[in-house]
Every structure is written in structure tokens, then in C-alpha cells.
Amino acid sequence: MKKLSSPAKTHKISTLILTELEYCHVINKFTGQVNLIEGPYRRIKYLWWKKLYGTIREKIIIKEGQYATIINPHDSKKRIIKHGVREIRQGPCIFSLYPGEILEDGKIYNNYVLAHDRGLIIRCIQDYREDEIMHKAGDIWMRKGPMIYYPHIYTKIEKEIEAISLGAQDGLYIKNFNTGQVRLEKGPQTLMLTPFEELYYKHYSIAEQRALKILGVQIDASRAIPLKLETEEIAMINSGETQRVEIGPKMLLLEPFDRLKTLIISGKTPKMPNILTKWKIFLGPMFVSDQLCVRTKDNAELLIHLRYKTRFNIDPKNLKKIFAVEDFIGYATETMASIIRQEAAQHNFEEFHSKAAELIEPVLFKHDLTYFRFDENYFEIFGLDIKKILPQDAEIANQLNAAIKSNMDVYVNKIQQTAQLEAERQLVEGRIEIEDTKQALYEKELANFKFKEIGNAKIEAEASIERTRGEMESIQMRESIVNQGEELHLKNTLLLLESSTTEEYLRLQQVKSFQNVEKTVILPTDSKIFVPMGDINPYGQKKQTSMI
């Protein structure tokens, strides 16, 4: 964009030479008329009554995609200047300014190439009709992309706007300056402000900035700050005259006029007021450390390091009561310190130092309760741990440390001796257990041997019984065969009796009677004789003879 200067002075000329891209204005000193001369132009000897009005200037070149606004444009047909009129000239083109024409703002502008996420806020400066729509002076509207926009002669571009993208946990404050209404737009979405809307910048108090840890940090106040509530965390939000309590886990986005309930509580050890600024409370259980000085009955000062175990025992129907005490930590620790100091004043140094926990816990947790409750805000202390207790006086502290060290040495030696005796006892018990195991093993082996012998005896007895049973069966079988033989003999005898005469029967009986008589035969040594060994057996069969 180039600014072009306006003619201001006249110069006497004798020679005038203009290139193709130059022009100038010449004034007639008699008539006062100013004329336009455009290049290319050359005149060696110029008329003495004409003078150069202003300077030689370059022609205005408007490229493709550009435009310029001309004030008081020249009407080439009527050859007059239209004073008070504006004209839009679009590129590509090249022209010279006639006398009286003015390039608005001395600039050439690029056309508006609008993407889908961009738009223009346009103001009407004079009544006109466009696309059967009547625009009145002062009207404001918006044109959205995608498009290429050339301004109208009776409009003015107020500003170019861009769509705003919001994520899932983002929020944006927007104000309608016609109605004054302020709203919160939540993501995920993409939005574009209307001509009557603007961003609203939320104000945070100093306490809120400290609680949110944004004090001194440059932030975009038009965007809502995501507030994350974890499990067992609680926060209170003031919305005008109403209050609401939020319990985690959840993500919060404050409305434009919401205010956080901030708590300024005690911190550090020992506890000091106005240390921490919180916008949310952890319901617990949590640990709170403190350190306090007490004075005993014998006027000895002790420094006690404590750690409390705390929680909020909430009532779901009255959650707002949790925020009734702003500095609940300071209030609780001061109350505990007062009770402990009062108890310490009733005991001497040695007793309180050695039995601090035994003396303090019954006082804090009375009536067989395991907690100390603050009814103002449901805050409870249900555990106490005395981490360290030391005299305030350095000399006494050193003596006490020496005594404690000596006692510790004795205690360690005792533990070592006990451990050694225990090791010896376990060794003896181990040996006894080994011997018992060996004895049990011997008894088991003996029982196994007896079981084996009994088993073998049973097997042998069963085998003997089987052998005896076999022998008996064999005897019975032989007896059965003998009986069958005798029976056969009797049958044969009966058959013989039936078939033979009485003489034959007698002779047979005689032969049988001689069968068992020993016979002696004397023979010479050189003789041979065949002796029948019984011609017929009792069964009627012949026998073989023997040779002697």
C-alpha cells in the first residue's frame, strides 16, 4: 500500500516530459483551471501562462484482488467532479487522479478472502438497497466465509473476525452490548461473535488470584479457568445471593459473575496464620503437623512436635457448614495446644516427658471416643502422634540426650542379649526337633519293616494253604482213582465168577495167595532157567518173565 501526496505548490515549467506511468496537473494562471496531463507526454517549450500544479506523480496501479476508494470521482461523460461522492475501483486497472479526486486514506487495499472460519463486521454509512435488502445508515451486519468480498461504496468494514474454537473443557465469556447480557459458552464447539457481541473479561479478586495461583500471571480473562475437583475435595461457589457446594471428582467452569469461596488458613510448622489461600477443601483423612511449647508443674519448658490425623465427617444435608470456620486448621491447632498446655501444667517434667502420649490422648479423646469433633464445621481429629519432645533449655536437652543415649545403649544391649538367648533357644529347639524327627523316622521304618514281615508271612501262609489244598486235592484224586480201580476189580471178579466154574475160581484164589510168598530156587552156577513171574495177574493179564 502506497501513500500518494496531494499537489500543494505550482512550478513554472519550460519543458515537460512524462513517462507512460506518470501524470501531472497543469494550472492556467489566467483562468485558474487545472487540467490533467497523462504520459507518455513530451513538450520542449511549454506555454508561459501554464504552470505545473503540484509535482509529477506516478499513476495508481491496482492489481488483481485489490481495490481502492476514490473520493470526489470524475464523471468522464459529464466532465465534472462529483463532490462528496465515493467510488470503489477494483483491479486490475491503472489510472490517474483528476484534479479534485482523492485516494481515500492514500491506500490501496486487498480484497477480503474469507475462509469458512472468518467473517467481516460491516457498517452501513448511507441508505442503499442490495439484493432486495434495504440497508439503513448505521446498520451493522456480518458476512461469513467462504467468499471473496468487495466493500460496497456505502459500507465500511468495522473489523475482520475469526471463529473461536473451544475444547471440551474450555469456556468463553461473551457480552451482548445491546442487551448487556453476559453468558458463558462451553466447548466443544466453534463459534463466531455476532456484530453485537464482544468478549467479556472476568474480574478475579486478589484472594481468588492467590487461591488459583494466577496472581501476577498474564492470563486471558475472557476464557473460563477450568477448576478441577479431585475425589474427596469440596468447594463453595457464590452466585449472587445464592450459594452452592460442589463435590469432586468433576471439572468446573465459573459463570461470568460466580465467585469462589476462598479460605485463608494457617500453615507451616509451627502453625502461623494467613499462610495459605485455598478455594477447595480436602475432606481427608489428612495429616496436620504442629509444634508448641508447654510448661510443666515444676516450671520446666518442653518443645513438642505433634502430628494430628484429621478429617471432615460431613453431613450431606448441610455441606455449607464445612465453610463456617475460615481458618479451620488454625482454630483446631490452637484448641489442641490449649488442652495440651493445661494437661502439661498438672505434671512434673520427668512424668510428662516419659508419658506424654499416655497423658494427652485420654484428655483429647474423652468419654471413650476415638476422635475430637469441632461441631462448628464437622472437623475431627482422630489420631495423635508425638514425633519429638525436647526441653527448651539447651543444657537440660543435652543431659536428656545423653541419658536417652545411655538408656538406648542399655536397651540395645538388652535386645542383643535377648536376641542371642532367643537364637540359642531356637538352636536347642531345632536340635530337639531334629532328634524327634529322627525318632519318628526310626519308628516309621520299624513299622514299615513289621508291615513288610507280616505281609511276607501272610503271603507264605497263603502259599502253604494253597499247597496243602493242592496236596489234599491230589490225595483225594489218587484215592478216587484207587477206589475206581477197586471198584473195577470187584466188577471184574464178579464177571469172572459169573463166567467161570468153581474150580477155576479156587485156583485163582490159590494163585493170589502165593503171590506174596517168597520163593527160593537153588541152581548150579552154570545153569540157566526162565522163571515165570506170574503168568496171570489178578486182572487176567500176562506178565513178562525174567532171566536169571
Side-chain angles (χ1 to χ4, degrees):
M1 299 180 186
K2 182 189 295 183
K3 286 188 177 182
L4 303 178
S5 59
S6 300
K9 297 181 180 180
T10 60
H11 304 275
K12 184 178 179 180
I13 55 176
S14 59
T15 301
L16 182 59
I17 300 175
L18 300 176
T19 65
E20 184 179 1
L21 298 177
E22 292 179 331
Y23 74 96
C24 69
H25 296 156
V26 177
I27 186 172
N28 188 318
K29 68 177 182 178
F30 293 109
T31 62
Q33 184 178 0
V34 180
N35 297 321
L36 171 65
I37 299 177
E38 296 182 289
Y41 182 85
R42 180 177 182 272
R43 188 160 185 163
I44 302 301
K45 187 175 182 181
Y46 211 72
L47 300 176
W48 61 272
W49 60 84
K50 292 183 178 182
K51 292 184 178 181
L52 181 65
Y53 187 73
T55 61
I56 297 174
R57 291 178 288 179
E58 294 180 356
K59 293 180 180 180
I60 297 174
I61 300 174
I62 301 178
K63 300 177 182 179
E64 181 76 31
Q66 293 182 330
Y67 74 95
T69 302
I70 304 300
I71 302 176
N72 305 326
H74 179 265
D75 189 340
S76 59
K77 293 182 180 180
K78 297 181 180 181
R79 296 184 179 182
I80 60 174
I81 296 295
K82 298 179 181 180
H83 294 284
V85 177
R86 300 170 72 246
E87 180 181 275
I88 302 294
R89 296 180 183 175
Q90 300 178 6
C93 65
I94 180 171
F95 60 90
S96 304
L97 291 177
Y98 280 86
E101 287 186 333
I102 301 174
L103 179 65
E104 189 177 50
D105 298 330
K107 296 180 181 179
I108 297 174
Y109 296 93
N110 294 323
N111 295 335
Y112 292 95
V113 181
L114 303 177
H116 70 280
D117 60 343
R118 291 184 176 273
L120 295 173
I121 302 298
I122 303 171
R123 181 185 295 275
C124 181
I125 59 176
Q126 184 176 334
D127 296 352
Y128 77 98
R129 183 179 296 275
E130 181 184 26
D131 298 332
E132 297 182 357
I133 299 175
M134 187 64 188
H135 296 289
K136 296 289 186 180
D139 287 349
I140 298 177
W141 66 91
M142 180 173 62
R143 299 292 296 270
K144 295 182 181 179
M147 65 180 301
I148 297 176
Y149 181 76
Y150 291 91
H152 193 273
I153 188 175
Y154 297 130
T155 61
K156 183 178 181 181
I157 305 300
E158 291 291 319
K159 60 181 177 180
E160 185 176 358
I161 60 175
E162 183 178 359
I164 302 172
S165 179
L166 299 177
Q169 298 178 355
D170 292 339
L172 190 69
Y173 300 118
I174 299 175
K175 179 180 180 180
N176 188 310
F177 52 76
N178 279 348
T179 63
Q181 183 182 4
V182 182
R183 73 181 189 278
L184 170 66
E185 287 288 345
K186 298 180 180 180
Q189 64 169 311
T190 299
L191 59 89
M192 189 174 291
L193 300 181
T194 68
F196 306 102
E197 291 179 340
E198 63 183 1
L199 297 179
Y200 175 80
Y201 297 92
K202 182 177 176 63
H203 172 71
Y204 296 93
S205 65
I206 298 298
E208 287 177 321
Q209 293 182 48
R210 287 176 178 169
L212 297 174
K213 295 180 174 57
I214 60 174
L215 184 62
V217 179
Q218 189 69 28
I219 64 170
D220 184 0
S222 66
R223 288 186 173 263
I225 299 176
L227 305 178
K228 188 175 183 181
L229 281 177
E230 302 288 355
T231 304
E232 300 299 326
E233 289 184 340
I234 186 171
M236 178 182 285
I237 299 174
N238 299 319
S239 299
E241 297 180 355
T242 62
Q243 295 176 329
R244 71 178 189 274
V245 176
E246 302 284 352
I247 301 179
K250 65 172 55 176
M251 185 68 69
L252 301 177
L253 292 176
L254 295 180
E255 293 292 332
F257 301 107
D258 282 351
R259 286 284 172 260
L260 290 171
K261 172 67 176 179
T262 57
L263 303 175
I264 302 176
I265 61 179
S266 299
K268 298 184 178 181
T269 302
K271 288 293 177 281
M272 300 175 62
N274 304 326
I275 297 299
L276 302 174
T277 303
K278 297 288 186 180
W279 65 273
K280 59 183 178 179
I281 295 176
F282 180 58
L283 297 178
M286 58 184 175
F287 294 99
V288 178
S289 299
D290 195 14
Q291 176 181 312
L292 64 146
C293 182
V294 300
R295 187 180 295 273
T296 61
K297 185 177 180 180
D298 50 0
N299 207 29
E301 291 185 351
L302 292 173
L303 187 64
I304 305 178
H305 295 261
L306 303 167
R307 186 174 67 172
Y308 304 104
K309 195 174 183 180
T310 65
R311 66 189 173 200
F312 280 92
N313 192 355
I314 63 175
D315 180 6
K317 297 181 180 179
N318 192 10
L319 295 176
K320 297 179 182 179
K321 195 172 181 180
I322 295 177
F323 298 86
V325 179
E326 182 174 348
D327 186 8
F328 62 93
I329 295 295
Y331 179 68
T333 53
E334 285 295 328
T335 303
M336 295 296 100
S338 176
I339 296 174
I340 294 172
R341 289 191 181 100
Q342 184 177 358
E343 181 64 22
Q346 300 177 10
H347 304 275
N348 56 32
F349 167 79
E350 185 177 353
E351 181 183 9
F352 188 78
H353 181 271
S354 59
K355 301 179 179 180
E358 299 176 7
L359 296 174
I360 294 174
E361 287 186 1
V363 178
L364 296 181
F365 310 130
K366 295 180 179 179
H367 310 298
D368 297 331
L369 295 177
T370 58
Y371 59 87
F372 187 98
R373 171 178 288 182
F374 297 89
D375 295 330
E376 298 87 344
N377 61 346
Y378 303 133
F379 190 61
E380 291 182 354
I381 295 177
F382 66 100
L384 173 66
D385 180 21
I386 300 178
K387 299 171 64 177
K388 186 166 53 176
I389 178 169
L390 295 172
Q392 280 283 78
D393 186 86
E395 184 177 354
I396 296 177
N398 292 334
Q399 294 178 359
L400 181 62
N401 289 334
I404 293 174
K405 183 178 180 181
S406 177
N407 292 336
M408 286 299 296
D409 292 339
V410 173
Y411 181 69
V412 170
N413 291 333
K414 183 178 179 181
I415 291 177
Q416 290 177 348
Q417 293 176 0
T418 303
Q420 185 175 0
L421 292 174
E422 180 66 18
E424 293 177 356
R425 183 184 65 80
Q426 291 181 358
L427 180 62
V428 173
E429 290 180 353
R431 290 176 178 175
I432 294 173
E433 185 177 356
I434 291 173
E435 294 298 329
D436 292 341
T437 303
K438 287 181 178 180
Q439 181 66 27
L441 180 61
Y442 294 153
E443 293 177 357
K444 192 70 175 178
E445 290 178 350
L446 180 60
N448 291 338
F449 179 74
K450 290 180 179 180
F451 180 77
K452 182 178 179 181
E453 291 295 325
I454 292 172
N456 293 333
K458 287 183 178 180
I459 293 171
E460 292 178 358
E462 291 177 355
S464 177
I465 291 172
E466 291 295 328
R467 287 195 300 270
T468 303
R469 185 181 292 112
E471 291 176 356
M472 290 179 66
E473 291 178 352
S474 177
I475 293 171
Q476 290 176 357
M477 187 177 295
R478 287 197 301 270
E479 289 178 353
S480 176
I481 293 171
V482 171
N483 291 333
Q484 291 178 359
E486 290 179 355
E487 184 179 358
L488 181 62
H489 174 66
L490 290 176
K491 288 181 178 180
N492 292 332
T493 303
L494 290 175
L495 291 175
L496 182 60
L497 288 175
E498 290 177 355
S499 60
S500 61
T501 60
T502 305
E503 295 179 356
E504 292 175 348
Y505 177 74
L506 292 174
R507 185 180 176 184
L508 178 63
Q509 291 295 326
Q510 184 178 4
V511 171
K512 288 183 179 181
S513 63
F514 283 103
Q515 283 181 353
N516 297 327
V517 177
E518 295 182 358
K519 297 178 178 67
T520 303
V521 179
I522 301 173
L523 296 174
T525 57
D526 56 350
S527 64
K528 294 181 180 179
I529 189 171
F530 290 94
V531 180
M533 298 301 296
D535 297 331
I536 302 174
N537 59 20
Y539 304 102
Q541 298 178 352
K542 292 183 178 182
K543 294 184 179 180
Q544 297 179 355
T545 56
S546 299
M547 184 179 66
I548 302 175

